[in-house]
Amino acid sequence: MRHKRSDFPEAFLFGTATSAYQIEGHAFGGAGRTHWDDFAATPGNVVRAENGDRACDHYHRFAEDLDLVKAAGLDAYRFSISWARVLPEGTGTPNEEGLDYYDRLTDAMLERGLKPCATLYHWELPSALADKGGWRNRDIAAWFGEFTEIAMERLGDRMFSVAPINEPWCVAWLSHFMGGHAPGLRDVRAAARAMHHVLLAHGTAIQTMRGLGMSNLGGVFNLEWATPANGTPEAQAAAARYDAIYNRWFLGGVFKGAYPQAALDGLEPHLPEGWQDDFPTIQAPLDWCGLNYYTRKLIAPDATPFPSLKEVEGPLPKTFMDWEIYPQGLEDFLTRTAKEYTGDLPLYVTENGMASPDVLVDGAVKDPSRTAFLEDHLDAVQRAIAAGVPVSGYFIWSLLDNYEWALGYEKRFGLVHVDFETLERTAKSSYHELKAALQS
Ligand code: FCB
């Protein structure tokens, strides 16, 4: 790797990120059923109908996995807490075995000198709450507050940082408008409600944690740069609509107490009554803002109902996800977010990484494309820092090859290869390069 730790500010944190359903093995330890189990059990939703029953079996192997985080020289570990593992029915009686597990996991991080950075919702909604309408039901804010309280009463004293919800766009739009993630709906009214309730739940959880005396609380937003597919005003307007729905809705709600007009144009008729009154909760002050960044999209207008746009294939080199590699978007988002939304608040890149078709040959995995991807994005982070943006850390997605949602186990994002037959872990060349960089 061409970077050294000493090229970054003194307190800059390097970490890696994972999520519960993608690695733990959800069939273990008394976890409740989730809408991802239901979604995966429905033909056509997930590659080979794979689910998170066993995943990487991190539930039983977390000590070995955290040893890998430590040995890489990383400072922090971003993980998530499964709602259905803590509360199998979503509300009510906690699963003590689940709480004990997160207790041990937290202590195992601290024993290794790793900063625990928790996310409270990384997509495995308990099925019992999905039955009640899930993110379409306003009550989800209170249900999520209850879960937050139970989880953080137990763990909050040892967290370095906590964010309520991973990637609100995926929770709301991808899952309720595009049908790509659980619950797999394609319904504009459901989507609009989820777009609002996800932020209401975020704010409720922040307030709950403040009530417990916690600090260093943030939000994690996934951002995708929208480039007009051509120079026409129509393409520019379509890209602006995409930007409004994908990026500005969530940042605008949390940091400005307002939704962008280009999104309201289509969504306002479908929002729940009284939505304007929820901003005091949605805007609960944060201590930092996390950006997950992977790619950009080329956007063209389309003769369909709102949002009347389509994605067009772009010319840049692509990852195994078919996502264009566009590091400039990371610099632009860091700069724009600070300038327009967050000011002096510390920014973290809470996810960045790529999928590649890595194969194990003679006990080793060579993934130079991942190293190059990370280098190019670290350059973008450095340019933002040089321009005065307060970027405080960078987390690589992901530690392990894992369950990549609707794409099953096919798309490998790990610094560490996982053999899904034997569950053996093998550090890839990118892991070794990162380790050398962090030591220098
Ligand atoms: C992000 C998700 C993460 C993983 C990566 C590739 O959107 O937060 O769980 O799927 O994409």
Side-chain angles (χ1 to χ4, degrees):
M1 259 196 156
R2 59 174 178 262
H3 299 85
K4 301 195 287 292
R5 186 187 271 278
S6 53
D7 299 339
F8 290 82
E10 178 104 27
F12 193 88
L13 294 183
F14 286 93
T16 183
T18 64
S19 92
Y21 192 82
Q22 291 178 276
I23 64 169
E24 285 178 352
H26 224 262
F28 310 128
R33 192 171 175 86
T34 80
H35 71 170
W36 264 95
D37 302 306
D38 304 323
F39 184 73
T42 310
N45 284 341
V46 177
V47 171
R48 294 184 290 267
E50 288 167 340
N51 64 27
D53 273 0
R54 185 171 82 144
C56 305
D57 190 24
H58 179 73
Y59 186 79
H60 297 108
R61 296 166 196 247
F62 68 81
E64 178 192 345
D65 294 338
L66 293 178
D67 285 345
L68 283 162
V69 182
K70 175 69 185 160
L74 293 161
D75 312 300
Y77 180 59
R78 178 170 175 256
F79 70 109
S80 80
I81 298 167
S82 163
W83 189 342
R85 184 178 296 292
V86 171
L87 286 163
E89 294 299 314
T91 57
T93 311
N95 168 33
E96 285 303 325
E97 204 178 331
L99 282 167
D100 286 347
Y101 162 70
Y102 290 115
D103 226 356
R104 286 183 283 124
L105 184 69
T106 300
D107 287 341
M109 286 177 229
L110 295 176
E111 280 158 20
R112 289 164 179 77
L114 298 169
K115 292 183 164 45
C117 304
T119 305
L120 279 156
Y121 183 77
H122 201 128
W123 307 352
E124 62 286 270
L125 187 74
S127 295
L129 300 182
D131 291 343
K132 295 181 185 167
W135 292 102
R136 288 184 286 166
N137 186 336
R138 181 182 176 85
D139 291 345
I140 194 142
W143 302 331
F144 189 57
E146 181 185 331
F147 161 55
T148 300
E149 177 131 13
I150 290 168
M152 286 302 136
E153 267 179 346
R154 185 70 172 264
L155 307 168
D157 58 332
R158 283 158 292 155
M159 294 297 113
F160 172 73
S161 67
V162 184
I165 292 168
N166 180 68
E167 302 191 343
W169 177 87
C170 291
V171 174
W173 195 258
L174 177 62
S175 306
H176 296 80
F177 187 85
M178 297 171 68
H181 276 188
L185 296 181
R186 299 190 67 248
D187 181 317
V188 68
R189 180 176 162 95
R193 280 153 196 268
M195 295 276 278
H196 183 66
H197 293 150
V198 72
L199 291 183
L200 186 62
H202 156 88
T204 303
I206 294 288
Q207 290 176 339
T208 302
M209 290 190 278
R210 295 286 182 214
L212 294 173
M214 293 176 62
S215 56
N216 209 17
L217 309 179
V220 171
F221 305 89
N222 56 315
L223 305 182
E224 212 171 80
W225 198 261
T227 304
N230 58 52
T232 62
E234 291 77 14
Q236 280 168 21
R241 279 195 299 282
Y242 190 88
D243 187 31
I245 294 168
Y246 207 111
N247 307 308
R248 293 187 182 277
W249 180 276
F250 305 100
L251 291 171
V254 170
F255 293 104
K256 292 182 196 269
Y259 294 141
Q261 191 55 47
L264 282 176
D265 286 346
L267 297 183
E268 188 164 5
H270 309 294
L271 283 172
E273 210 177 311
W275 59 275
Q276 298 92 338
D277 302 333
D278 289 329
F279 285 115
T281 303
I282 291 172
Q283 279 187 279
L286 300 181
D287 304 308
W288 54 271
C289 174
L291 309 185
N292 293 357
Y293 177 78
Y294 290 94
T295 190
R296 70 155 188 184
K297 289 283 160 58
L298 289 192
I299 303 298
D302 198 20
T304 57
F306 177 87
S308 318
L309 56 80
K310 62 182 175 203
E311 294 174 13
V312 177
E313 194 180 332
L316 302 177
K318 299 187 182 64
T319 70
F320 198 38
M321 294 291 274
D322 257 341
W323 293 345
E324 281 190 300
I325 300 174
Y326 186 62
Q328 184 59 41
L330 180 56
E331 179 188 350
D332 292 344
F333 268 132
L334 288 166
T335 311
R336 183 176 99 171
T337 303
K339 185 159 166 257
E340 297 188 28
Y341 295 97
T342 55
D344 295 336
L345 214 60
L347 296 181
Y348 290 88
V349 178
T350 31
E351 283 182 29
N352 181 233
M354 70 174 281
S356 47
D358 305 330
V359 282
L360 190 64
V361 181
D362 297 334
V365 180
K366 297 213 165 56
D367 60 340
S369 60
R370 177 167 292 99
T371 303
F373 182 99
L374 298 176
E375 286 176 333
D376 292 345
H377 287 80
L378 282 170
D379 282 347
V381 170
Q382 286 186 320
R383 292 196 298 273
I385 293 173
V389 180
V391 192
S392 301
Y394 176 82
F395 290 72
I396 297 165
W397 184 273
S398 184
L399 174 65
L400 304 170
D401 293 339
N402 60 44
Y403 180 64
E404 182 41 44
W405 306 112
L407 300 168
Y409 292 94
E410 203 170 80
K411 305 292 182 195
R412 295 177 174 271
F413 273 88
L415 293 165
V416 175
H417 178 272
V418 176
D419 178 325
F420 290 107
E421 296 292 316
T422 64
L423 295 177
E424 193 182 342
R425 276 75 162 143
T426 307
K428 303 180 189 178
S429 60
S430 59
Y431 173 98
H432 295 296
E433 296 233 15
L434 175 72
K435 178 175 173 173
L438 293 175
Q439 278 165 355
S440 56

